Amino acid sequence: MSLALTGVHHLTAITADAAANRRFYVETMGLRLVKKTVNQDDVSAYHLFYADGQATPGTDLTFFDWPAPRERRGSNSIVRTGLRVADETALAWWRERLAARGVMVSDIAERAGRPSLDVEDGEGQRLRLVADGGAGEAHPWEASSVPAERQIRGLGPITISAPTLERTARVLTEVMNMRHVAEHADPDGVGRVHVFAMGEGAGPETELHVAVQPGLGFAGQGAGGAHHVAFRTPDRAGLAAWTERVTEAGLRSSGEVERYYFRSLYFREPGGVLFEIATDGPGFAVDEPAETLGERLALPPFLEPRRAEIEAGLKPL
């Protein structure tokens, strides 16, 4: 079996205010809430999944709702999440929309080789809207407040920070079969950024960026920060092969974990960033109609007997 990751699967971040988080990502960013569930390891916390109109793998930006203080920014962490839009016209539209709503937003500039726009949500979550040229499929959400041609098309490059490159690069290339394809100055003005690509892709949705930022203190995880990044493998056979490969490389892992909507493997790269490899299926329509995704609290079968208890412990959303 060819072990080639096919792109970013999802990015999971942390919020301390689920209601405000939902308003921002649905009402301002125009994403669809495709799954309202709970953290399977901590059922007191929501796990919210935002995606495109069809909940396509590779479009999911997800959040754990934890009563955490703000993230302490620093190295050895995920520092920015890319979101793809079609072109520079879309970026200009987004800049006007976000500025009018009081959202922290930068000027449009070339960053990491592509026109882009840096954005922060109300908790300081760092996002980057990236023009991808409109390549590939897009699945707009008909009920979005954002016009179809301006909507977020999916995840783009994910940027992690490391004090040095060598150990992380070794895992990315020798274990995860990524390719080092470019290097450029850090748009944030610290060090250099190295671009690694997955599979056969050449688009931003297949890229992981490593910002080498020596001298920064370690990040402290919290609200407004990221928790982990997941990469795509098509099916369970692929995941089994990845599990074997990660084990043979001597990396400690979770082993395969059944998440019901997909199956996963977790491990940390040498800098401590949590990586996940996740299957594309079965997807979010496995337990509710595609037309009404995200409208009710969805629980995997092993949590369904605890529904009353779980619902009683959640804040209204």
Side-chain angles (χ1 to χ4, degrees):
M1 170 176 289
S2 173
L3 284 175
L5 300 167
T6 56
V8 179
H9 187 282
H10 66 266
L11 185 289
T12 294
I14 301 169
T15 179
D17 188 342
N21 182 270
R22 179 179 180 174
R23 286 194 299 272
F24 180 79
Y25 287 95
V26 174
E27 297 176 13
T28 297
M29 302 304 291
L31 293 168
R32 183 184 183 190
L33 179 63
V34 296
K35 189 62 61 177
K36 180 170 66 173
T37 185
V38 294
N39 182 321
Q40 295 178 10
D41 303 311
D42 174 12
V43 298
S44 69
Y46 281 112
H47 192 181
L48 306 177
F49 290 76
Y50 306 98
D52 69 5
Q54 295 184 13
T56 311
T59 71
D60 302 329
L61 180 58
T62 95
F63 288 86
F64 296 144
D65 172 38
W66 284 329
R70 289 287 180 90
E71 174 200 34
R72 183 180 70 249
R73 293 181 176 179
S75 187
N76 304 86
S77 65
I78 299 168
V79 296
R80 196 170 292 276
T81 301
L83 301 171
R84 293 179 290 112
V85 297
D87 50 32
E88 289 192 62
T89 301
L91 288 176
W93 184 91
W94 274 105
R95 190 181 190 287
E96 182 177 350
R97 174 183 176 87
L98 294 172
R101 295 179 177 225
V103 177
M104 187 176 294
V105 60
S106 72
D107 291 331
I108 299 169
E110 184 172 302
R111 300 176 178 88
R114 295 186 181 92
S116 63
L117 187 67
D118 284 355
V119 181
E120 293 188 15
D121 73 8
E123 294 180 297
Q125 188 70 232
R126 287 173 283 181
L127 311 170
R128 176 168 292 155
L129 300 185
V130 177
D132 68 1
E137 294 184 357
H139 304 285
W141 178 34
E142 293 180 358
S144 177
S145 62
V146 175
E149 68 275 13
R150 306 289 188 239
Q151 285 184 32
I152 292 167
R153 295 162 48 83
L155 291 167
I158 306 300
T159 304
I160 68 174
S161 173
T164 61
L165 179 66
E166 289 73 18
R167 293 172 65 219
T168 294
R170 190 174 302 119
V171 168
L172 297 181
T173 57
E174 297 180 9
V175 179
M176 301 178 72
N177 291 331
M178 296 188 192
R179 295 167 286 114
H180 185 280
V181 296
E183 177 186 350
H184 55 78
D186 188 342
D188 296 324
V190 182
R192 304 284 292 175
V193 175
H194 296 261
V195 178
F196 294 83
M198 291 165 257
E200 299 177 359
E205 70 277 11
T206 69
E207 293 179 359
L208 179 72
H209 295 188
V210 181
V212 179
Q213 299 175 318
L216 290 186
F218 281 82
Q221 203 165 72
H227 186 270
H228 67 268
V229 58
F231 307 103
R232 297 175 64 181
T233 191
D235 51 33
R236 292 184 62 166
L239 186 68
W242 277 110
T243 302
E244 181 178 355
R245 184 173 182 85
V246 167
T247 300
E248 289 177 348
L251 296 172
R252 294 179 59 185
S253 79
S254 62
E256 292 186 35
V257 179
E258 181 58 69
R259 293 303 189 193
Y260 189 52
Y261 307 111
F262 42 83
R263 192 170 177 87
S264 298
L265 169 74
Y266 300 87
F267 61 96
R268 292 188 185 274
E269 57 84 32
V273 175
L274 183 59
F275 284 174
E276 175 183 356
I277 297 176
T279 60
D280 281 351
F284 294 121
V286 70
D287 61 351
E288 55 185 338
E291 296 78 14
T292 58
L293 288 176
E295 294 183 8
R296 63 185 292 273
L297 181 69
L299 297 175
F302 64 88
L303 290 178
E304 190 60 47
R306 299 174 58 190
R307 176 174 287 273
E309 167 203 345
I310 291 170
E311 289 183 333
L314 295 171
K315 296 169 288 188
L317 182 61

